[in-house]
C-alpha cells in the first residue's frame, strides 16, 4: 500500500520527519485519548534493587497505561479496579489495605478487586502469611496465583477452587531482560553459573551455593565459575565465587548475560522472579526439585536436583545446547504475563458496567 511504501522509504533513509512521526502516531497504538478505566495498585514500585513485587508493579502499570488505562496508587471512589498485591500493613510503599477496600466498596459498588497471591508460609518458614492471605481474599472478585504449585498449596489449606481464579506465571520486563546479546557456552571457556537474590534467607538455597563454591575451590568441580549477585547470609565467606552487590534493571541483565547457566536452590518458592530474569536472558536452569513454582519452569528448560547437585551440574553441562535451544523456543515473557492480567482486568470491568 502507499502507506507502507511511505513508511519504508522514510525508515530506510532515516528521514524521521515530523510528517513520518505523525504517520506513526496514527498507525501505532499509543494509549492516548479517553481512558478505559482507572486501575489502582496497593503498593508503589520502588527504584533500585528490590523484591519481585516492585518490578512486577512497574511493568504491569506501564503496560496498562499503554493499553489505555489510568494507573494510580491511592484509593478513591473513581477507581474501577484495585489490584491487591500485599495485604501487610507495615509496608513503607503501601497505598491501601483490606479494610480500605471494604470501606470503598460501600461507596463504589462497581469497584472490582483482583487479589494477586504470591506468598505462603512454607516459603520462609513463617506462621502468619497463609491466614493473612485467607482473610484478605474475602474482598477479592478474582484471585490470581503466580504458579500452579501455589494455587494447589492454598487450595489444600483454605482457597475454594470454585471461586473465580487463574494462574498467571511471572514474567520480567522484556525491554530489559531478553536473550539478545547473551552467548552460548562454547565448551572451551569455563561454564559461568550465576544466581541472584535480594533476600539472604537460608531457604533461598545458600547451603547449596556454598557447597558448590567449596567444591570449585577444592578442585572437585572443574571448569566452572560461580557468580553470586545480591545478598547472602553474613556467615558465608565465599572462597572461589565472584560476589557482586545487588543489581537491578539493565545492569542486572548485563551481568546475567555474561553467564551461561542459572542456578536456584530456593525452596518452596511461590514462583520467584530471579530465575525468570535469568531465563529471559538466555540461561537454562539448574533448580532444586523442592523449588515450588520454580519447578514448572525448570521442567521445560532445566535440570533438577535434590542431594545430587554435582551430578545434575554435569548433566546440565552435557545437555547445555539442547537446554539452551528449548529455552529460546519457550522463553518466559513479561508480555504474556501483562496481557493475561490486562485481559482479566478488562473482563471484570466490562462485567461490572453491564
Amino acid at each position: 500500500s502507499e502507506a507502507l511504501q511511505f513508511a519504508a522509504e522514510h525508515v530506510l533513509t532515516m528521514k524521521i520527519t515530523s510528517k513520518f512521526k505523525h504517520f506513526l502516531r496514527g498507525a501505532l497504538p499509543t494509549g492516548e485519548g479517553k481512558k478505559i478505566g482507572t486501575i489502582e495498585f496497593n503498593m508503589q514500585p520502588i527504584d533500585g534493587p528490590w523484591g519481585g513485587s516492585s518490578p512486577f508493579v512497574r511493568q504491569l502499570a506501564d503496560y496498562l497505561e499503554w493499553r489505555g488505562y489510568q494507573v494510580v496508587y491511592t484509593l478513591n471512589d473513581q477507581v474501577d479496579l484495585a489490584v491487591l498485591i500485599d495485604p501487610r500493613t507495615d509496608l513503607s510503599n503501601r497505598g491501601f489495605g483490606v479494610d480500605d477496600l471494604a470501606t470503598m466498596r460501600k461507596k463504589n459498588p462497581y469497584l472490582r478487586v483482583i487479589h494477586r497471591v504470591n506468598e505462603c508460609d512454607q516459603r520462609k518458614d513463617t506462621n502468619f502469611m497463609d491466614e493473612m492471605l485467607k482473610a484478605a481474599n474475602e474482598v477479592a472478585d478474582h484471585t490470581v496465583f503466580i504458579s500452579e504449585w501455589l494455587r494447589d498449596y492454598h487450595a489444600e489449606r483454605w482457597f475454594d477452587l470454585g471461586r473465580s481464579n487463574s494462574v498467571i506465571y511471572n514474567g520480567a520486563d522484556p525491554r530489559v531482560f531478553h536473550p539478545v546479546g547473551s552467548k552460548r557456552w562454547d565448551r572451551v571457556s569455563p561454564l559461568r553459573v550465576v544466581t541472584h537474590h535480594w533476600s539472604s534467607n537460608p531457604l533461598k538455597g545458600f547451603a547449596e551455593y556454598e557447597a558448590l563454591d567449596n567444591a570449585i575451590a577444592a578442585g572437585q568441580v572443574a571448569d566452572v565459575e560461580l557468580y553470586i549477585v545480591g545478598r547472602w547470609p553474613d556467615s558465608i565467606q565465599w572462597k572461589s565465587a565472584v560476589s557482586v552487590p545487588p543489581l537491578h534493571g539493565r545492569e542486572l541483565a548485563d551481568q546475567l548475560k555474561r553467564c551461561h547457566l542459572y542456578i536456584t536452590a530456593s525452596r518452596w518458592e511461590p514462583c520467584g522472579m530471579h530465575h525468570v530474569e535469568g531465563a529471559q536472558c538466555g540461561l537454562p536452569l539448574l533448580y532444586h526439585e523442592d523449588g515450588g513454582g520454580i519447578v514448572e519452569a525448570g521442567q521445560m528448560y532445566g535440570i533438577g536436583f535434590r542431594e545430587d547437585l554435582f551430578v545434575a551440574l554435569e548433566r546440565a553441562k552435557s545437555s547445555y545446547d539442547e537446554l539452551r535451544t528449548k529455552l529460546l523456543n519457550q522463553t518466559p515473557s513479561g508480555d504474556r504475563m501483562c496481557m493475561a492480567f490486562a485481559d482479566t482486568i478488562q473482563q471484570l470491568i466490562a462485567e461490572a458496567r453491564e
Side-chain angles (χ1 to χ4, degrees), residues 42 86-94 96-100 132:
N42 92 307
D86 196 322
R88 289 177 290 183
T89 59
D90 58 346
L91 300 177
S92 61
N93 58 334
R94 172 179 176 267
F96 66 87
V98 176
D99 291 342
D100 301 314
M132 181 183 295

Side-chain angles (χ1 to χ4, degrees), residues 74-349:
T74 56
L75 193 60
N76 61 71
D77 59 9
Q78 299 302 308
V79 170
D80 293 284
L81 184 141
V83 183
L84 180 61
I85 304 294
D86 196 322
R88 289 177 290 183
T89 59
D90 58 346
L91 300 177
S92 61
N93 58 334
R94 172 179 176 267
F96 66 87
V98 176
D99 291 342
D100 301 314
L101 276 173
T103 300
M104 188 56 66
R105 297 196 85 156
K106 295 177 181 178
K107 298 180 181 179
N108 177 11
Y110 298 103
L111 174 67
R112 294 296 179 262
V113 178
I114 289 179
H115 184 193
R116 178 181 182 256
V117 177
N118 66 340
E119 272 287 5
C120 66
D121 276 323
Q122 191 171 6
R123 177 192 182 198
K124 294 182 179 178
D125 196 25
T126 55
N127 59 8
F128 65 90
M129 185 58 71
D130 293 351
E131 284 299 318
M132 181 183 295
L133 293 170
K134 177 182 178 181
N137 194 252
E138 293 181 4
V139 302
D141 296 289
H142 183 86
T143 303
V144 173
F145 296 97
I146 60 174
S147 69
E148 294 179 2
W149 177 85
L150 188 64
R151 177 200 61 197
D152 296 343
Y153 170 96
H154 287 300
E156 291 176 0
R157 290 159 175 79
W158 59 267
F159 186 75
D160 178 4
L161 290 174
R163 296 182 61 198
S164 178
N165 75 90
S166 59
V167 173
I168 302 178
Y169 205 80
N170 281 348
D173 189 337
R175 297 170 297 183
V176 178
F177 297 95
H178 55 78
V180 178
S182 65
K183 303 295 182 183
R184 280 184 187 262
W185 178 42
D186 60 10
R187 298 186 177 274
V188 176
S189 58
L191 178 72
R192 292 191 290 275
V193 181
V194 65
T195 193
H196 72 289
H197 295 282
W198 174 248
S199 170
S200 60
N201 188 296
L203 288 176
K204 290 295 183 179
F206 289 102
E208 283 77 9
Y209 309 148
E210 188 174 21
L212 179 56
D213 175 58
N214 290 336
I216 294 172
Q220 298 170 349
V221 173
D223 300 321
V224 173
E225 295 175 354
L226 178 61
Y227 291 76
I228 306 291
V229 181
R231 295 177 170 178
W232 50 86
D234 293 337
S235 60
I236 295 181
Q237 299 294 320
W238 303 111
K239 296 178 180 178
S240 68
V242 178
S243 59
V244 181
L247 301 174
H248 77 288
R250 297 190 189 281
E251 288 186 341
L252 174 59
D254 289 344
Q255 176 63 56
L256 294 175
K257 290 179 189 180
R258 297 185 192 107
C259 300
H260 307 114
L261 182 70
Y262 196 94
I263 181 172
T264 175
S266 190
R267 306 296 205 282
W268 305 300
E269 280 276 2
C271 179
M273 190 66 83
H274 60 297
H275 67 97
V276 171
E277 291 169 341
Q280 287 189 207
C281 288
L283 280 60
L285 187 60
L286 187 63
Y287 66 97
H288 198 287
E289 291 176 348
D290 290 327
I294 295 174
V295 176
E296 294 163 38
Q299 289 174 338
M300 293 188 288
Y301 45 76
I303 299 293
F305 65 88
R306 280 199 173 90
E307 305 299 327
D308 53 348
L309 169 58
F310 301 150
V311 174
L313 177 58
E314 289 303 314
R315 288 179 57 205
K317 291 170 71 174
S318 64
S319 59
Y320 174 83
D321 290 320
E322 178 185 355
L323 292 172
R324 165 92 173 183
T325 298
K326 284 183 177 180
L327 170 60
L328 294 180
N329 285 335
Q330 48 191 344
T331 308
S333 169
D335 288 332
R336 285 195 294 273
M337 179 194 72
C338 289
M339 184 176 293
F341 266 98
D343 288 347
T344 301
I345 288 169
Q346 178 178 268
Q347 178 181 349
L348 288 170
I349 294 177

